[in-house]
């Protein structure tokens, strides 16, 4: 089994090298062409996160042994989550909430990144690669912190994170600026997330900078969800949650369910699609956007058009106009037609736009439903769910919950992915519920706790008392220069 570029089937790597490289040299994403007959056997699965994880990873990463996989899972997840089951499931009226915020940085990104760092470490060993790895990452807020935590002080790996200046919440910013570890660096750019992601994708296709880095014995890799090694771990929680609901007699084995996913870069929902591909009984994947609703328009019309105003919303981790992982879906939907994908992506690069063939759009609509919520909708939902259920939704999950309510399906159970702790976006959550003009983004954590008695995650307490290690801001066109100038400061 091998991984190939979405844009060129002649570029092929085994899974270790696909993980190490992150992005294909011509800009395509790595995808498996065939899984063969490897499917989940639901009859044999239990509801232990580590056991489910092993079965899922085996399917996608055949050049890792069972012992390798177990070691990766243990090192990545053991004792890192505040719930021993790794994922907690709550019930909210007729639907379920998959709580993905109990990890070290309080966002679902922990699941992907803690394991990606282990996959990278192991892939370095397996491949006999002599160079060390420099991870470059663009973040809309949550990836950055989770990547820094995942990779800090991992041998032979260095990491640099770029985030949009004033495009992330105060808490997200403090989490990154106070990051510990000798192999890490954090930098803000004047620009939005798309600017950061585009600049970094360019570096991956730039031969000069690669040459420059080779002088430091470094090769580039990515911790963004363009790296397939980050998506595979996310498949696990779809399968785990399903099995847990089966074992709790909430659903029957083989019963189809819906997953509702707050979506930005299309990574998390694509992991749901992969779960379906390996045999998880999924009815619909519901793609929920905020007002940056490119994906909503695309799933309705087949036209992807990023030429529109970029909106800053209260769900900043979804403020994205170029959803990279959609390319992987298009690859599978088009029956792995690399040339067609190459053409679409060329259109996107040159005109900011592409249009999907009608028959392919219909195939997408068979699986995906799309919806979106404005900031006002989001606030109303946070308020309503707290008032009625005493449950706190974070701003991103509230977008998803609104889209669920707009698309009631009485024939299937629905599971909403809660992607962050409400405390990560405490100011907007708090002011959605309580009448108070408080503006201090740090004080509001205690205020929210005092009113709701829902616990503040340990990692978010006392953030303002930690010392700031990084506070550089650069222009978006200077990322390349910055990388070269900073590299020798990392150990
Ligand atoms: C990253 C993120 C999202 C979007 O996930 P994608 O995989 O980029 O679609 C949603 N919510 C939160 C809290 C996030 O951090």
């Amino acid at each position: 089994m091998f991984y190939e570029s979405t844009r060129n089937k002649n570029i092929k790597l085994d899974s270790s090298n696909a993980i190490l490289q992150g992005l294909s040299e011509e800009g395509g994403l790595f995808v498996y062409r065939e899984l063969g007959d490897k499917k989940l056997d639901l009859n044999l699965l239990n509801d232990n996160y580590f056991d489910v994880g092993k079965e899922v990873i085996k399917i996608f990463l055949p050049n890792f042994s069972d012992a390798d996989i177990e070691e990766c899972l243990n090192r990545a997840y053991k004792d890192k989550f505040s719930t021993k089951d790794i994922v907690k499931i709550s019930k909210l009226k007729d639907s379920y909430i998959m709580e993905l915020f109990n990890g070290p940085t309080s966002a679902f990104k922990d699941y992907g990144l803690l394991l990606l760092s282990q996959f990278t470490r192991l892939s370095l060993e397996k491949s006999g690669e002599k160079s060390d790895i420099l991870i470059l990452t663009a973040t809309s807020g949550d990836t950055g912190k989770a990547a820094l935590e995942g990779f800090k002080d991992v041998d032979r790996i260095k990491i640099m994170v770029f985030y949009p200046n004033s495009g992330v919440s105060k808490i997200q910013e403090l989490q990154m600026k106070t990051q510990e570890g000798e192999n890490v660096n954090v930098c803000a750019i004047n620009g939005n997330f798309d600017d950061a992601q585009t600049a970094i994708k360019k570096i991956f296709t730039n031969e000069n900078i690669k040459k420059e880095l080779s002088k430091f014995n470094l090769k580039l890799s990515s911790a963004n969800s363009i790296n397939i090694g980050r998506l595979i771990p996310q498949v696990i929680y779809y399968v785990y949650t399903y099995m847990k609901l089966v074992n709790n007699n909430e659903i029957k084995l083989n019963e189809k369910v819906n997953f509702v996913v707050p979506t930005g870069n299309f990574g998390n929902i694509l992991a749901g699609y992969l779960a379906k591909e390996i045999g998880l009984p999924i009815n619909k994947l519901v793609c929920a956007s905020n007002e940056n609703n490119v994906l909503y328009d695309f799933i309705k019309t087949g036209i992807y058009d990023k030429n529109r105003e970029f909106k800053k919303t209260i769900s900043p981790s979804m403020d994205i106009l170029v959803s990279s992982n959609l390319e992987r879906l298009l690859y599978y939907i088009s029956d792995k037609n690399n040339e067609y994908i190459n053409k679409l992506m060329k259109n996107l690069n040159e005109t900011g736009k592409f249009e999907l063939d009608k028959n392919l759009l219909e195939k997408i609509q068979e699986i995906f439903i799309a919806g979106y919520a404005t900031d006002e909708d989001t606030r109303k939902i946070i308020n309503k769910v707290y008032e009625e259920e005493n449950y706190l939704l974070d701003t991103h999950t509230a977008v998803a919950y609104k889209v669920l309510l707009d698309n009631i399906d009485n024939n299937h159970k629905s599971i909403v992915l809660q992607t962050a702790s409400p405390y990560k976006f405490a100011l907007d959550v708090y002011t959605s519920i309580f009448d108070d003009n408080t503006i201090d983004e740090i004080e509001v954590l205690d205020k929210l706790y005092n009113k709701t008695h829902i616990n503040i995650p340990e990692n978010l307490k006392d953030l303002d008392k930690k010392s700031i290690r990084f506070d550089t801001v650069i222009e978006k066109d200077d990322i390349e220069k910055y990388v070269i100038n900073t590299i020798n400061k990392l150990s």
Side-chain angles (χ1 to χ4, degrees), residues 183-453:
N183 62 339
V184 307
N185 190 275
V186 175
C187 177
I189 65 153
N190 284 321
N192 59 37
F193 171 74
D194 287 321
D195 295 325
Q197 175 160 260
T198 306
I200 282 174
K201 276 189 175 174
K202 262 197 210 137
I203 292 182
F204 274 83
T205 55
N206 177 330
E207 289 308 317
N208 276 338
I209 195 161
K210 285 187 189 166
K211 242 183 251 151
E212 208 47 48
L213 288 172
S214 68
K215 293 182 194 155
F216 297 93
N217 191 34
L218 285 172
K219 279 194 172 162
L220 284 176
S221 188
S222 167
N224 282 102
S225 50
I226 52 180
N227 193 319
I228 187 68
R230 174 166 154 193
L231 292 183
I232 293 163
Q234 295 178 212
V235 178
I236 303 169
Y237 48 68
Y238 285 89
V239 180
Y240 166 81
T241 300
Y242 186 90
M243 292 315 298
K244 192 83 188 169
L245 290 177
V246 169
N247 286 353
N248 289 350
N249 294 318
E250 300 284 347
I251 56 175
K252 295 197 195 69
L253 194 67
N254 297 320
E255 177 178 339
K256 286 191 173 179
V257 298
N258 303 316
F259 287 98
V260 189
V261 190
T263 298
N265 219 2
F266 210 76
N268 207 6
I269 197 165
L270 191 93
Y273 178 80
L274 297 181
K276 185 172 161 66
E277 286 291 291
I278 60 172
L280 196 69
I282 294 178
N283 175 51
K284 294 279 188 205
L285 290 164
V286 184
C287 174
S289 304
N290 64 26
E291 279 179 89
N292 294 294
N293 55 1
V294 223
L295 286 167
Y296 169 82
D297 289 343
F298 173 69
I299 291 171
K300 295 278 171 191
T301 65
I303 297 172
Y304 194 100
D305 187 355
K306 72 160 184 138
N307 303 310
R308 60 179 78 202
E309 189 194 342
F310 180 92
K311 299 201 172 123
K312 272 171 77 170
T313 72
I314 60 172
S315 43
S317 299
M318 293 153 65
D319 289 347
I320 291 176
L321 293 178
V322 184
S323 297
S324 298
N325 277 293
L326 183 64
E327 181 170 345
R328 286 191 165 107
L329 176 68
L330 299 174
Y331 166 87
Y332 289 115
I333 290 287
S334 68
D335 220 0
K336 305 157 196 168
N337 186 342
N338 315 67
E339 277 164 32
Y340 180 66
I341 301 305
N342 198 22
K343 194 183 86 189
L344 294 183
M345 292 304 130
K346 201 157 168 256
N347 287 345
L348 183 64
N349 282 338
E350 286 168 6
T351 67
K353 201 172 149 169
F354 66 82
E355 180 163 5
L356 193 67
D357 291 354
K358 193 150 179 298
N359 64 319
L360 298 182
L361 177 63
E362 281 164 9
K363 277 169 83 177
I364 289 182
Q365 289 168 340
E366 277 168 28
I367 307 169
F368 291 84
I369 291 182
Y372 74 96
T374 64
D375 277 356
E376 199 190 332
D377 297 331
T378 309
R379 287 182 179 281
K380 275 192 194 145
I381 287 286
I382 291 172
N383 184 300
K384 179 178 142 84
V385 169
Y386 182 71
E387 294 298 334
E388 291 175 7
E389 310 268 320
N390 221 5
Y391 189 87
L392 282 182
L393 293 173
D394 98 285
T395 49
H396 305 74
T397 312
V399 166
Y401 199 69
K402 160 78 165 88
V403 172
L404 171 69
L405 296 183
D406 288 345
N407 292 279
I408 290 292
D409 173 356
N410 291 320
N411 298 318
H412 301 90
K413 301 268 170 56
S414 293
I415 300 149
V416 180
L417 280 69
Q418 164 113 315
T419 47
S421 161
Y423 282 100
K424 251 191 136 160
F425 304 93
L427 183 63
D428 290 311
V429 170
Y430 184 81
T431 54
S432 298
I433 304 172
F434 305 105
D435 232 355
D436 184 341
N437 286 332
T438 176
I439 38 158
D440 189 295
E441 285 194 61
I442 297 298
E443 255 172 47
V444 78
L445 291 173
D446 287 330
K447 286 195 172 188
L448 187 57
Y449 172 76
N450 289 335
K451 295 253 190 186
T452 64
H453 293 286

Side-chain angles (χ1 to χ4, degrees), residues 462-478:
D462 300 328
L463 263 183
D464 55 327
K465 299 194 183 67
K466 291 192 177 161
S467 57
I468 303 279
R469 295 189 63 213
F470 305 101
D471 60 0
T472 309
V473 184
I474 62 170
E475 294 309 313
K476 64 182 180 197
D477 296 327
D478 293 339

Side-chain angles (χ1 to χ4, degrees), residues 22-34:
L23 183 69
S24 181
E25 55 210 23
E26 85 308 4
L29 306 187
F30 289 115
V31 279
Y32 61 81
R33 175 164 278 265
E34 300 292 346

